[in-house]
Structures are given as structure tokens and as C-alpha cells.
Amino acid sequence: MMLIDPSRKYRPFPQVDLPDRQWPSRTITKPPRWLSTDMRDGNQALIDPMDTEKKTRFFELLTRIGLKEIEVGFPSAGATEFDFISGLVRSGRIPDDVIVQVLTQARRDLIERTFESLQGAKQAIVHVYNAVSPAWRRIVFNMDRPQIKDIAINAAKIIRDEAAKQPNTDWSFEYSPETFSTAELDFSLECCEAVMDILRPTPEKPLILNLPATVEAATPNIYADQIEWFCRHIRDRDSVVISLHPHNDRGTGVAAAELGLLAGADRVEGCLFGNGERTGNCDLVTVALNMYTQGVAPGLDFSNMEEVVQTVTYCNQLPVHPRHPYAGDLVFTAFSGSHQDAIKKGFAAQEQRNDEYWDVPYLPIDPADIGCSYEAVIRVNSQSGKGGVAWVLQQDKGLKLPKRMQGDFSKVVQDMADSSSRELHASDIWDAFEQHYCLTGPQPYSLVDYFESGPAGQRVFTGKIAHNGEERSISGRGNGLISSVLSALREELGIGLDVVDYSEHAIGTGRDVHAAAYVECRTDDGHTVFGVGLDEDIATASVQAVLSVANGLERRVLTSASAA
């Protein structure tokens, strides 16, 4: 049961004494070095860890995306890990511009086994770690600070000596004061500099110092303060690479990474879509695409997001949440009517203006940039409005409904959504459109043939109309084609209509172009009725639109009579 006063059990995390902090006023202007730990940190968090086939598939995906540093496993953990890593090295499947990284605890036997797995590698990073925070010192190890530092020093000596035994490999080293985020800053610094004393990094051959939020225990601004404090105090700053490894226990792993970069870090470690133990690691996809939306090329290619999602889902046997940033099935989808209207107008404005900058309401990124289609942007349910319905018809069929007609048809869709209590697909909407505007099924009035004559302003329509299967010849005179058709309907068939609005447009381009015509009419008793015509010829489409109005009126009369 939750406590009424949680302060009796939990303490607020202490602030870092950094009154002149600089990171809040900085901007991310370039990408960091990226490290994927999907195959190690992510893999160990899976219910069913990846087998060799899945690991291979995941590795190939990471290289296609553009990852240049990949933590491929924990070779001393068991035969499966060791065999995969050694096989990866021997097979020659590691691209020349990719460096693999392996993790080991700070024990001689484990370090030696780790180096054994990398025999023959062109280049590799060996990552060694030991926990340094008070809780681990007191509870897990029962050691004091000097003893913990000695673990780090001894591990550094061992990896130095083991690397010397394989001089043909270009070795790099990484040290993590694990649990950095909950440790005393001065002690983390002390351990890191003790490791530097052994490994002697240089600007040309820097040491990676990884500062993990092993357990996220504070707000991300405190992690940023810790990183900035460390960057200020570490000696020979140009000889070390400051790496971030935020976990997501408080749900702010991405924010911690971004603020940590502002604070001076050089590198980010994480997993695609944030996989990892407990609540996961920092999500590399989100951090990278957040940068992209700010005009910073992240150096990672997510142009085919669907492939990335499918591969990760297959290898991890974990779903990607439909609301996951950038990658979820629904993240570019609007159901709300007001949202749909804003997005629709945003796309229209984007097409009209010459400004190259993206500026569409509710969409921080162009879905096309990551391989997502616009068809999925607006989907229709009972919460949708006329803008959403119009968008679906435009994207699916190329129809650009006039605004008042959008309102007319959206009522039909709304009723259908309310009665079905489900999302309506594009096919549902099109079926309803065809039925409502009498484009399919039995049509009381259908066009058999026609021709028009006479000078401008005195047009004559002469045609054959089938009414319930019986052909009739009709004719009418007006100042244009539409008015002459309406005149014929009034004089010959007794259908009294006046035009309120008319519009038309082409559908498609080139030889496959078709025409769409829309007409809004008012009956003699004051009712407004809409019609649609679709044909290869714009004049014919216009006539069809008027007949669509007539058909709608007769259907309604028949429906009312049947109901009575």
C-alpha cells in the first residue's frame, strides 16, 4: 500500500553544487559517437536471449543503419556468447569501418576469456567495469573506497597486459564506474583517473570513460550536472571520451542523454527502441531522430523504419508500442477532428509555399523521411471530423471535396462510426461515399448520351436519360453546361434545382488523368443537396454530378416513403 507520507521511506536525491552550470544555455549542434548495446545489455534483458541467427540478423541491421561501434556481447558469460563473438571475428563479417566492443567484469579469468574471443580482430574495444556507489560498496561487496578503487586499477593492468599479447589488433579501452549516477562524484573521478594512470590515454588514443545512470534515481538535470562536473574536473580532458549510458527507471532516459550531451559528453550508449533491463536503456532511435528534427544529421539512417521495427521485433520477441516515438503504428495518426483539420491544412500549405522548412501542425517530422506513408497520418473513427474524412478520400482516391461537401459527407461517416464503434478504413469510407452520392448500385437517373450546342451564354443541352430503365430524351437551355442540364431536368422531369456552388479538378496526370466534378444545389423547398461526377471527360463528369444530385433526391424520397 502506498504511504501517505513517502518521505518517511524515501529521500530526495541531492543536488550537485554547480551554481555556474553551462549546459542549460547550450544547443546540440552535432551528433555524438553512438554505441549500440542491443546485443549485450539489450540481449541479457530478453526473456529468450537471441540465438546466433537472430544475433547475426541484428548485427547486420545495426551496420545498415550506420552504427560504427557495436557492443556485440559478454564473451565470458557462456559458450553461446563466446562462440558468436569469435565466429563474428573469424568470418570477416565486421565491416572495416565498424569496431566491435565486448564487456567484461573486473576479474582476471573473465578478462582473459574476453581477449581470447577477439583473437584475430582488426580492431576492438574492451569494456571493463566495477560498481563504485555506496550501496554497492556496503551491501553487495562489503568493501571500502580504497578496495573498490584497487579493483579498477587491477583490471586496468590486466587489460593492458592482455592487449600487449595481441599486438596485431588495434585495441581501445572503456572503463565504467558502474552506478556512477548514485556514487560520490569525487570517488568516481578518483577511480577513473586511477585507471588513466595505468592505461595512459592520449588525444590520439583516448580512453572511453562511461558514466552510466545504471539506475536512474534523479531528474535528468541532475545527471547533466553530474556530467558537466565530471567533464570540468577530469584531467587531460582531451585524452578521454565521455560516454553516457542512461537507463530509464524514471522514464527520462532520452532526456538524460540529451542533457548529458549538452553537459559535454561525447558518446551515447543505448538500444533501439529502448530495450534493456527493468524499464530499459536509452532509446537511440528517439535521441537520433530528435536531433534530426532540429536540423542535426544524426549519422544514423532510419529511412526504412518499418524494416527496423520488424527486425528488432523479430530478434527481441518484444513489440514496439504503437505510441512509441517515431516508430509506433499510431504516432503519425490523428483521430481527433480538430487535429485532422490542422494536419490537412498544414500539408496543403506545405505544398503551396516555397519555404523548404517543414511546418505541419502536430507532425514534428515528415513521415516520408523515415519511410512512413501519408495514408496513415489521418484515420477515421467516431472522434474524427470532416477534415479527416476529406484527407482519406484525397489520399486514397485523389478527390478534393469542397469544404461544404466535406461537412455533408462527414455526417454520414460519423453515423457509421458511431453505429459500428470501430475505426473506419479507407474502403469503408469509399463504399459509403459511393452509396451516399449514388455512384454505385441502382441509379434512378443515368446518362445514356448527350451533346451540347450553341454559343457561350446560350448553351443547349440535349441528351438521353434512363429513368428507372426507361430512356427519355430531354433538352434544356442555359448560360453554360450545368445550367442547361438543370433546365432540362426542371422542364422535362420536374426536378427543380438551382446551383449554389460548382468545382472541378483533375485526378492523376498524363494519359491516366480523370476528372472530378462537385455540385452543390438548392431545391425549390430550400434543401441543400450535393452531387459528384467522375469521368475521363470533365464535361461528362459535370453532367454526372448533376444526376448524382437528382439520384440522391429520389433515393431519399423512396427511403422516406418506405419508412412511412
Side-chain angles (χ1 to χ4, degrees):
M1 181 180 294
M2 291 183 67
L3 301 174
I4 295 175
D5 180 12
S7 66
R8 294 167 53 194
K9 188 173 183 178
Y10 301 100
R11 290 170 291 186
F13 199 89
Q15 297 283 329
V16 177
D17 184 17
L18 198 67
D20 59 339
R21 57 183 57 85
Q22 300 299 305
W23 64 261
S25 61
R26 294 175 182 159
T27 302
I28 296 174
T29 57
K30 63 179 182 179
R33 287 171 54 174
W34 303 102
L35 173 90
S36 161
T37 187
D38 288 273
M39 301 174 68
R40 198 278 303 170
D41 205 348
N43 187 52
Q44 74 182 28
L46 299 177
I47 298 171
D48 296 309
M50 289 182 276
D51 57 19
T52 298
E53 184 268 332
K54 288 179 179 175
K55 273 182 166 265
T56 300
R57 187 175 296 203
F58 212 123
F59 181 79
E60 291 172 349
L61 171 69
L62 294 172
T63 58
R64 285 199 301 275
I65 290 170
L67 268 299
K68 303 304 181 186
E69 299 177 39
I70 302 172
E71 194 165 61
V72 290
F74 203 142
S76 63
T80 301
E81 289 282 279
F82 184 94
D83 292 345
F84 172 77
I85 294 165
S86 60
L88 191 64
V89 171
R90 290 194 307 270
S91 68
R93 294 198 307 272
I94 304 173
D96 289 341
D97 62 345
V98 172
I99 182 167
V100 295
Q101 176 172 303
V102 292
L103 181 71
T104 179
Q105 292 169 313
R107 283 172 37 192
R108 176 176 291 278
D109 58 328
L110 303 182
I111 294 173
E112 291 174 347
R113 182 69 168 160
T114 297
F115 275 89
E116 184 182 346
S117 74
L118 292 169
Q119 286 183 356
K122 295 178 181 178
Q123 55 183 349
I125 302 170
V126 175
H127 177 191
V128 65
Y129 72 96
N130 67 304
V132 300
S133 67
W136 268 255
R137 297 197 308 260
R138 184 181 71 255
I139 299 169
V140 181
F141 303 120
N142 192 27
M143 290 182 176
D144 58 18
R145 285 170 55 152
Q147 290 172 306
I148 293 294
K149 185 171 74 171
D150 282 344
I151 293 175
I153 292 171
N154 291 331
K157 291 178 180 178
I158 297 169
I159 65 173
R160 177 198 62 192
D161 296 342
E162 288 298 315
K165 296 176 184 178
Q166 299 186 46
N168 292 329
T169 298
D170 183 9
W171 296 104
S172 296
F173 304 120
E174 176 173 344
Y175 171 66
S176 289
E178 192 194 8
T179 64
F180 164 84
S181 60
T182 53
E184 307 93 335
L185 286 170
D186 65 323
F187 184 54
S188 294
L189 182 71
E190 187 178 335
C191 290
C192 289
E193 292 189 340
V195 170
M196 293 171 65
D197 289 337
I198 305 301
L199 299 178
R200 299 186 179 279
T202 65
E204 294 72 31
K205 197 68 174 176
L207 169 66
I208 300 170
L209 293 177
N210 183 42
L211 308 178
T214 307
V215 177
E216 189 178 37
T219 50
N221 61 295
I222 290 180
Y223 185 58
D225 282 348
Q226 292 172 327
I227 299 302
E228 182 169 334
W229 185 97
F230 191 93
C231 289
R232 289 191 193 186
H233 289 83
I234 188 73
R235 73 163 189 264
D236 301 329
R237 176 66 179 86
D238 60 350
S239 295
V240 295
V241 172
I242 303 300
S243 189
L244 306 174
H245 187 111
H247 277 251
N248 200 44
D249 299 88
R250 293 171 56 91
T252 55
V254 166
E258 292 178 326
L259 300 191
L261 290 173
L262 294 176
D266 310 297
R267 187 174 185 253
V268 173
E269 302 185 4
C271 294
L272 302 183
F273 309 123
N275 181 39
E277 291 187 291
R278 304 183 311 280
T279 55
N281 290 273
C282 172
D283 174 14
L284 296 186
V285 177
T286 300
V287 177
L289 290 178
N290 283 354
M291 291 182 190
Y292 182 86
T293 66
Q294 304 302 299
V296 177
L300 300 178
D301 185 4
F302 295 108
S303 297
N304 190 347
M305 184 62 77
E306 182 179 2
E307 180 204 17
V308 177
V309 171
Q310 289 177 347
T311 303
V312 173
T313 300
Y314 168 77
C315 293
N316 287 346
Q317 293 297 293
L318 291 173
V320 172
H321 195 281
R323 299 294 183 190
H324 193 101
Y326 303 108
D329 285 343
L330 298 178
V331 296
F332 297 123
T333 301
F335 291 103
S336 161
S338 60
H339 290 204
Q340 292 172 344
D341 184 61
I343 291 171
K344 178 175 177 289
K345 290 175 179 176
F347 272 111
Q350 193 77 23
E351 292 177 0
Q352 293 172 4
R353 66 173 183 266
N354 295 322
D355 189 353
E356 295 181 356
Y357 287 103
W358 179 255
D359 188 19
V360 174
Y362 295 111
L363 296 180
I365 190 173
D366 185 347
D369 287 358
I370 54 176
C372 297
S373 64
Y374 294 135
E375 283 79 358
V377 170
I378 292 177
R379 289 161 61 175
V380 177
N381 63 11
S382 61
Q383 302 299 308
S384 304
K386 61 181 182 295
V389 174
W391 168 265
V392 171
L393 286 172
Q394 181 175 341
Q395 294 300 304
D396 199 50
K397 299 295 181 181
L399 301 183
K400 302 176 183 178
L401 272 60
K403 191 174 184 64
R404 285 171 56 83
M405 190 174 185
Q406 292 177 25
D408 177 68
F409 183 56
S410 69
K411 297 173 185 176
V412 176
V413 175
Q414 184 76 38
D415 290 343
M416 187 166 55
D418 285 337
S419 62
S420 65
S421 299
R422 65 173 177 85
E423 178 190 351
L424 300 181
H425 302 296
S427 59
D428 299 320
I429 295 170
W430 177 243
D431 289 345
F433 186 83
E434 286 188 307
Q435 182 176 354
H436 184 66
Y437 294 110
C438 305
L439 302 179
T440 187
Q443 298 178 343
Y445 298 97
S446 59
L447 180 66
V448 178
D449 193 13
Y450 80 97
F451 65 91
E452 54 178 323
S453 60
Q458 299 181 33
R459 305 298 290 170
V460 176
F461 170 83
T462 304
K464 287 185 179 181
I465 303 294
H467 181 220
N468 295 325
E470 180 181 345
E471 288 190 12
R472 292 187 58 175
S473 296
I474 63 173
S475 65
R477 184 183 301 271
N479 59 11
L481 176 60
I482 300 296
S483 61
S484 62
V485 174
L486 290 175
S487 174
L489 293 179
R490 180 181 292 274
E491 294 173 9
E492 305 283 353
L493 300 176
I495 303 173
L497 297 169
D498 293 315
V499 174
V500 176
D501 187 41
Y502 171 82
S503 62
E504 62 187 42
H505 66 80
I507 303 174
T509 57
R511 295 182 179 179
D512 296 328
V513 68
H514 284 65
Y518 312 97
V519 63
E520 177 184 350
C521 295
R522 185 176 292 112
T523 64
D524 289 345
D525 56 1
H527 289 90
T528 298
V529 191
F530 295 87
V532 181
L534 304 174
D535 198 83
E536 295 179 355
D537 174 67
I538 187 59
T540 303
S542 301
V543 177
Q544 298 280 22
V546 175
L547 292 180
S548 169
V549 172
N551 284 326
L553 284 173
E554 183 146 332
R555 277 193 185 181
R556 291 171 195 175
V557 170
L558 292 175
T559 301
S560 299
S562 175

